[in-house]
Amino acid sequence: MRKITYLIMTLLCVCTMHAQQGFPDFSGMHFGCDGNSITAGEQWSKTVVDQLGFATHHNVAVGSSTWACHQDTQDYGSPDFAGISGGWLPTEDAAELQKRHNNVAKVHIQQFIAEVDNGSYPAPDVFVFSMGTNDSVLGTAEEALKGKSLDEVDVTTMAGGARWAIQTIAERFPDCRIFVCTPIQTGNTGHNEMNLKKIAILKEICRALSVQVIDCYAGSGISEKFETPNGKGRYLRDGLHPDVPGQKLMGRFIAKEIRNNFF
């Protein structure tokens, strides 16, 4: 009996060692990401970088951002580029409004590429998008996916903006593995119903571009049932934004999905 137990334990140890050795070594890899206020700064992405041991962390997320562009969105680096603002309170200041209209995925990605090209950051090995919560003009995946070129894509819709941003990263960094996180659940049921519509579109875009989806809505551990619409819940500090434990929970989930699906 002892011999059988010993053999079983040995096999388990060997299997565990092989499983651990099968995971990629991220210590020499570079991490990039884009998103909105849930991603800006050092929130879930810092947990991902720390847990997987990435060499660098290049985050161009800005609060209040959207996949969709505005009619007057400027290209990053254009001669009259006004900058980017994550402001959201009412204003009539024309300069501030222009900066807010530049706070979109297309401009973020143009900035990301410019910062790689000028040597501020290395080319990414993994890039994660996590946005969509603030979008209101959704469009359709069918319309956004027409043709092979991005020149005719309507980037003033969420679907078009998502295709442009994801495909641009894929074309510029062909060896980079791209992941797209779905919006998380919030404390507001109406908001969640809209998020599900957005997620359906994003999944179609990702399927067409052969990009991995990370289902944070269903798998991150953050649930509307334990959150309130406007106040502090289990993991959301205001019904929308994760607090520090929520950020770490979300980061651990995303890190696990990257580790398990990287090839």
Side-chain angles (χ1 to χ4, degrees):
M1 184 66 180
R2 288 181 178 178
K3 288 184 178 181
I4 294 173
T5 302
Y6 175 78
L7 286 171
I8 292 173
M9 294 299 294
T10 301
L11 286 170
L12 286 172
C13 288
V14 170
C15 289
T16 300
M17 288 175 60
H18 280 264
Q20 291 174 342
Q21 292 170 356
F23 289 133
D25 178 9
F26 292 98
S27 63
M29 299 186 194
H30 306 287
F31 181 83
C33 64
D34 186 23
N36 48 40
S37 58
I38 293 174
T39 301
E42 295 189 341
Q43 299 187 73
W44 64 260
S45 63
K46 185 180 187 302
T47 298
V48 170
V49 170
D50 290 347
Q51 288 227 321
L52 297 182
F54 281 100
T56 61
H57 181 191
H58 186 183
N59 185 348
V60 290
V62 181
S64 304
S65 62
T66 60
W67 286 107
C69 290
H70 300 266
Q71 294 292 344
D72 61 346
T73 294
Q74 300 170 312
D75 284 329
Y76 182 82
S78 60
D80 58 344
F81 185 66
I84 304 171
S85 172
W88 55 275
L89 293 173
T91 183
E92 295 182 2
D93 183 87
E96 170 64 14
L97 288 172
Q98 181 62 68
K99 292 178 182 180
R100 293 184 187 186
H101 287 183
N102 293 341
N103 188 18
V104 299
K106 180 180 180 180
V107 178
H108 294 184
I109 296 310
Q110 290 173 333
Q111 176 186 342
F112 184 93
I113 292 171
E115 290 173 347
V116 171
D117 287 347
N118 68 24
S120 297
Y121 292 92
D125 297 288
V126 172
F127 193 99
V128 179
F129 288 96
S130 179
M131 57 201 313
T133 296
N134 300 316
D135 279 274
S136 57
V137 182
L138 305 190
T140 66
E142 180 182 14
E143 185 64 30
L145 290 168
K146 289 181 178 178
K148 295 182 181 296
S149 171
L150 294 176
D151 294 339
E152 297 181 5
V153 174
D154 180 5
V155 293
T156 64
T157 70
M158 185 198 77
R163 182 198 166 177
W164 192 98
I166 297 166
Q167 186 170 330
T168 297
I169 288 291
E171 290 177 348
R172 179 62 178 77
F173 307 108
D175 294 328
C176 178
R177 284 281 285 130
I178 301 171
F179 297 83
V180 176
C181 294
T182 67
I184 60 174
Q185 293 184 43
T186 73
N188 186 303
T189 54
H191 196 174
N192 291 336
E193 290 172 1
M194 179 59 74
N195 275 347
L196 289 173
K197 294 178 182 179
K198 297 173 184 178
I199 289 168
I201 293 171
L202 291 173
K203 285 183 175 180
E204 286 189 56
I205 300 290
C206 290
R207 186 181 303 115
L209 296 175
S210 193
V211 166
Q212 184 85 36
V213 174
I214 298 178
D215 191 355
C216 290
Y217 187 93
S220 68
I222 297 173
S223 169
E224 173 264 329
K225 301 304 180 187
F226 305 108
E227 307 298 337
T228 62
N230 301 305
K232 178 75 174 71
R234 178 179 287 182
Y235 289 116
L236 304 179
R237 66 177 186 266
D238 55 5
L240 178 64
H241 300 91
D243 55 16
V244 172
Q247 294 164 14
K248 291 181 177 179
L249 181 72
M250 188 175 172
R252 290 196 299 269
F253 173 68
I254 294 170
K256 182 262 296 182
E257 289 296 292
I258 294 173
R259 182 200 64 189
N260 290 353
N261 293 286
F262 187 91
F263 57 87

